[in-house]
Short mmCIF file of all heavy atoms in Angstrom, two decimals:
data_model
loop_
_atom_site.label_atom_id
_atom_site.label_comp_id
_atom_site.label_asym_id
_atom_site.label_seq_id
_atom_site.Cartn_x
_atom_site.Cartn_y
_atom_site.Cartn_z
N GLY W 1 146.23 99.10 152.24
CA GLY W 1 144.87 98.60 152.25
C GLY W 1 143.94 99.41 151.37
O GLY W 1 144.14 100.62 151.17
N GLN W 2 142.92 98.75 150.82
CA GLN W 2 142.03 99.41 149.88
C GLN W 2 141.19 100.51 150.53
O GLN W 2 140.94 101.55 149.92
CB GLN W 2 141.12 98.39 149.19
CG GLN W 2 140.33 99.01 148.04
CD GLN W 2 139.38 98.02 147.41
OE1 GLN W 2 138.58 97.41 148.10
NE2 GLN W 2 139.47 97.86 146.10
N LYS W 3 140.74 100.29 151.76
CA LYS W 3 139.91 101.30 152.41
C LYS W 3 140.63 102.63 152.52
O LYS W 3 140.06 103.69 152.26
CB LYS W 3 139.45 100.81 153.79
CG LYS W 3 138.38 99.73 153.75
CD LYS W 3 137.88 99.39 155.14
CE LYS W 3 136.77 98.34 155.08
NZ LYS W 3 136.27 97.99 156.44
N LYS W 4 141.90 102.58 152.90
CA LYS W 4 142.68 103.82 153.02
C LYS W 4 142.92 104.43 151.65
O LYS W 4 142.92 105.66 151.50
CB LYS W 4 144.01 103.53 153.72
CG LYS W 4 143.86 103.22 155.21
CD LYS W 4 145.22 103.03 155.87
CE LYS W 4 145.06 102.76 157.36
NZ LYS W 4 146.38 102.56 158.03
N ALA W 5 143.12 103.59 150.64
CA ALA W 5 143.34 104.10 149.29
C ALA W 5 142.10 104.82 148.78
O ALA W 5 142.19 105.91 148.20
CB ALA W 5 143.71 102.96 148.36
N LEU W 6 140.94 104.22 149.00
CA LEU W 6 139.69 104.84 148.55
C LEU W 6 139.42 106.13 149.33
O LEU W 6 138.91 107.11 148.77
CB LEU W 6 138.54 103.86 148.72
CG LEU W 6 138.58 102.62 147.83
CD1 LEU W 6 137.52 101.62 148.25
CD2 LEU W 6 138.42 102.98 146.36
N ARG W 7 139.77 106.13 150.61
CA ARG W 7 139.61 107.35 151.41
C ARG W 7 140.50 108.47 150.87
O ARG W 7 140.09 109.63 150.79
CB ARG W 7 139.94 107.06 152.87
CG ARG W 7 139.53 108.16 153.84
CD ARG W 7 139.86 107.80 155.27
NE ARG W 7 139.28 106.51 155.63
CZ ARG W 7 139.97 105.50 156.13
NH1 ARG W 7 141.28 105.61 156.32
NH2 ARG W 7 139.37 104.37 156.44
N SER W 8 141.71 108.12 150.48
CA SER W 8 142.62 109.12 149.90
C SER W 8 142.08 109.68 148.60
O SER W 8 142.21 110.87 148.31
CB SER W 8 143.99 108.48 149.66
OG SER W 8 144.61 108.10 150.86
N LEU W 9 141.47 108.81 147.80
CA LEU W 9 140.88 109.25 146.54
C LEU W 9 139.75 110.25 146.80
O LEU W 9 139.65 111.29 146.14
CB LEU W 9 140.36 108.04 145.77
CG LEU W 9 139.86 108.27 144.35
CD1 LEU W 9 140.96 108.81 143.46
CD2 LEU W 9 139.32 106.96 143.76
N ALA W 10 138.90 109.95 147.77
CA ALA W 10 137.81 110.85 148.12
C ALA W 10 138.32 112.18 148.66
O ALA W 10 137.80 113.26 148.31
CB ALA W 10 136.89 110.18 149.16
N GLU W 11 139.36 112.13 149.49
CA GLU W 11 139.92 113.36 150.04
C GLU W 11 140.53 114.24 148.96
O GLU W 11 140.42 115.47 149.02
CB GLU W 11 140.97 113.01 151.10
CG GLU W 11 140.37 112.42 152.37
CD GLU W 11 141.42 111.87 153.31
OE1 GLU W 11 142.62 111.86 152.93
OE2 GLU W 11 141.05 111.44 154.42
N ARG W 12 141.13 113.61 147.96
CA ARG W 12 141.70 114.39 146.85
C ARG W 12 140.58 115.09 146.08
O ARG W 12 140.71 116.26 145.72
CB ARG W 12 142.48 113.46 145.91
CG ARG W 12 143.10 114.17 144.71
CD ARG W 12 144.06 115.27 145.17
NE ARG W 12 144.51 116.09 144.09
CZ ARG W 12 145.68 115.93 143.45
NH1 ARG W 12 146.49 114.95 143.82
NH2 ARG W 12 146.04 116.73 142.48
N LEU W 13 139.50 114.40 145.86
CA LEU W 13 138.37 114.99 145.14
C LEU W 13 137.78 116.16 145.92
O LEU W 13 137.44 117.20 145.36
CB LEU W 13 137.32 113.91 144.89
CG LEU W 13 136.08 114.29 144.08
CD1 LEU W 13 136.47 114.82 142.71
CD2 LEU W 13 135.18 113.08 143.93
N LYS W 14 137.67 116.01 147.24
CA LYS W 14 137.12 117.08 148.07
C LYS W 14 138.03 118.31 148.10
O LYS W 14 137.55 119.44 148.23
CB LYS W 14 136.92 116.57 149.50
CG LYS W 14 135.78 115.58 149.67
CD LYS W 14 135.71 115.13 151.12
CE LYS W 14 134.60 114.13 151.37
NZ LYS W 14 134.57 113.65 152.78
N SER W 15 139.32 118.09 148.00
CA SER W 15 140.27 119.20 148.17
C SER W 15 140.40 120.08 146.93
O SER W 15 140.81 121.24 147.03
CB SER W 15 141.65 118.66 148.55
OG SER W 15 142.22 117.92 147.47
N ASP W 16 140.05 119.56 145.76
CA ASP W 16 140.17 120.34 144.53
C ASP W 16 138.94 121.22 144.31
O ASP W 16 137.82 120.85 144.69
CB ASP W 16 140.34 119.41 143.32
CG ASP W 16 141.79 119.00 143.10
OD1 ASP W 16 142.69 119.69 143.61
OD2 ASP W 16 142.01 117.97 142.44
N GLN W 17 139.15 122.37 143.67
CA GLN W 17 138.04 123.25 143.30
C GLN W 17 137.54 122.80 141.93
O GLN W 17 138.17 123.07 140.90
CB GLN W 17 138.49 124.70 143.27
CG GLN W 17 138.80 125.27 144.64
CD GLN W 17 139.06 126.77 144.59
OE1 GLN W 17 139.68 127.27 143.66
NE2 GLN W 17 138.56 127.48 145.58
N ILE W 18 136.40 122.15 141.91
CA ILE W 18 135.88 121.54 140.69
C ILE W 18 135.05 122.53 139.89
O ILE W 18 134.23 123.27 140.45
CB ILE W 18 135.05 120.29 141.04
CG1 ILE W 18 135.95 119.24 141.71
CG2 ILE W 18 134.38 119.70 139.81
CD1 ILE W 18 135.21 118.04 142.22
N ASP W 19 135.25 122.54 138.60
CA ASP W 19 134.45 123.34 137.68
C ASP W 19 133.18 122.55 137.37
O ASP W 19 133.20 121.60 136.59
CB ASP W 19 135.23 123.64 136.41
CG ASP W 19 134.51 124.60 135.48
OD1 ASP W 19 133.28 124.77 135.62
OD2 ASP W 19 135.17 125.17 134.58
N GLU W 20 132.08 122.95 137.98
CA GLU W 20 130.83 122.20 137.86
C GLU W 20 130.14 122.39 136.51
O GLU W 20 129.10 121.77 136.26
CB GLU W 20 129.88 122.58 139.00
CG GLU W 20 130.40 122.29 140.39
CD GLU W 20 130.52 120.81 140.71
OE1 GLU W 20 130.02 119.98 139.92
OE2 GLU W 20 131.10 120.47 141.76
N SER W 21 130.71 123.19 135.64
CA SER W 21 130.14 123.31 134.29
C SER W 21 130.52 122.12 133.42
O SER W 21 130.00 121.97 132.31
CB SER W 21 130.59 124.62 133.63
OG SER W 21 132.00 124.65 133.45
N TYR W 22 131.43 121.29 133.94
CA TYR W 22 131.80 120.04 133.27
C TYR W 22 131.36 118.87 134.16
O TYR W 22 131.27 119.00 135.38
CB TYR W 22 133.31 119.97 133.05
CG TYR W 22 133.82 120.98 132.06
CD1 TYR W 22 134.27 122.23 132.49
CD2 TYR W 22 133.86 120.70 130.69
CE1 TYR W 22 134.74 123.17 131.58
CE2 TYR W 22 134.33 121.62 129.78
CZ TYR W 22 134.76 122.85 130.23
OH TYR W 22 135.22 123.78 129.33
N PRO W 23 131.11 117.72 133.57
CA PRO W 23 130.68 116.57 134.38
C PRO W 23 131.82 116.01 135.22
O PRO W 23 133.00 116.15 134.89
CB PRO W 23 130.24 115.55 133.32
CG PRO W 23 131.01 115.91 132.09
CD PRO W 23 131.15 117.41 132.12
N VAL W 24 131.44 115.37 136.32
CA VAL W 24 132.37 114.56 137.10
C VAL W 24 132.03 113.11 136.77
O VAL W 24 130.89 112.68 136.95
CB VAL W 24 132.23 114.82 138.61
CG1 VAL W 24 133.12 113.86 139.41
CG2 VAL W 24 132.58 116.27 138.93
N TYR W 25 133.02 112.39 136.25
CA TYR W 25 132.80 111.00 135.86
C TYR W 25 133.59 110.08 136.79
O TYR W 25 134.76 110.35 137.10
CB TYR W 25 133.29 110.77 134.43
CG TYR W 25 132.44 111.42 133.36
CD1 TYR W 25 133.04 112.03 132.26
CD2 TYR W 25 131.06 111.42 133.43
CE1 TYR W 25 132.27 112.62 131.25
CE2 TYR W 25 130.28 112.00 132.43
CZ TYR W 25 130.89 112.61 131.35
OH TYR W 25 130.13 113.18 130.37
N PHE W 26 132.96 108.99 137.21
CA PHE W 26 133.64 108.00 138.03
C PHE W 26 133.95 106.77 137.18
O PHE W 26 133.24 106.47 136.22
CB PHE W 26 132.80 107.64 139.24
CG PHE W 26 132.75 108.72 140.28
CD1 PHE W 26 131.83 109.75 140.19
CD2 PHE W 26 133.66 108.73 141.33
CE1 PHE W 26 131.81 110.77 141.12
CE2 PHE W 26 133.65 109.75 142.28
CZ PHE W 26 132.72 110.77 142.18
N LEU W 27 135.00 106.07 137.56
CA LEU W 27 135.50 104.93 136.78
C LEU W 27 135.59 103.69 137.65
O LEU W 27 135.97 103.77 138.82
CB LEU W 27 136.89 105.25 136.21
CG LEU W 27 137.02 106.49 135.34
CD1 LEU W 27 138.50 106.77 135.05
CD2 LEU W 27 136.25 106.33 134.04
N GLN W 28 135.27 102.56 137.05
CA GLN W 28 135.43 101.27 137.72
C GLN W 28 135.98 100.27 136.72
O GLN W 28 135.97 100.51 135.52
CB GLN W 28 134.10 100.76 138.25
CG GLN W 28 133.12 100.38 137.14
CD GLN W 28 131.89 99.64 137.63
OE1 GLN W 28 130.96 100.27 138.10
NE2 GLN W 28 131.91 98.31 137.52
N THR W 29 136.47 99.15 137.23
CA THR W 29 136.85 98.06 136.33
C THR W 29 135.76 97.00 136.39
O THR W 29 134.70 97.19 135.84
CB THR W 29 138.24 97.50 136.70
OG1 THR W 29 138.28 97.19 138.11
CG2 THR W 29 139.34 98.50 136.38
N ASP W 30 136.02 95.90 137.08
CA ASP W 30 135.06 94.79 137.05
C ASP W 30 133.94 94.90 138.06
O ASP W 30 132.85 94.38 137.86
CB ASP W 30 135.81 93.47 137.25
CG ASP W 30 136.66 93.47 138.51
OD1 ASP W 30 137.15 94.55 138.89
OD2 ASP W 30 136.85 92.41 139.11
N VAL W 31 134.17 95.57 139.19
CA VAL W 31 133.15 95.68 140.24
C VAL W 31 132.91 97.15 140.58
O VAL W 31 133.79 97.99 140.40
CB VAL W 31 133.55 94.90 141.50
CG1 VAL W 31 133.60 93.41 141.23
CG2 VAL W 31 134.90 95.38 142.04
N SER W 32 131.72 97.44 141.09
CA SER W 32 131.36 98.84 141.34
C SER W 32 131.48 99.25 142.80
O SER W 32 131.43 100.45 143.10
CB SER W 32 129.91 99.08 140.88
OG SER W 32 129.01 98.26 141.60
N GLU W 33 131.65 98.30 143.71
CA GLU W 33 131.65 98.63 145.14
C GLU W 33 132.71 99.67 145.51
O GLU W 33 132.41 100.62 146.26
CB GLU W 33 131.81 97.37 145.99
CG GLU W 33 130.58 96.48 146.02
CD GLU W 33 130.46 95.59 144.79
OE1 GLU W 33 131.37 95.65 143.93
OE2 GLU W 33 129.47 94.86 144.69
#
């Protein structure tokens, strides 16, 4: 299901130590929801 997939994507982002000196870019295809 998509809800679980999106939750997994968010959890992966939270778990990594992000270098904030670079931008974080989000990607979509046809819809933004």
Side-chain angles (χ1 to χ4, degrees):
Q2 189 183 53
K3 287 186 178 180
K4 289 184 178 179
L6 293 170
R7 192 179 305 126
S8 295
L9 188 61
E11 290 171 354
R12 179 59 189 262
L13 184 57
K14 288 178 180 178
S15 67
D16 276 340
Q17 291 188 321
I18 297 174
D19 186 342
E20 299 291 350
S21 63
Y22 293 92
V24 175
Y25 290 139
F26 287 85
L27 303 171
Q28 68 170 82
T29 51
D30 54 329
V31 294
S32 61
E33 288 81 3

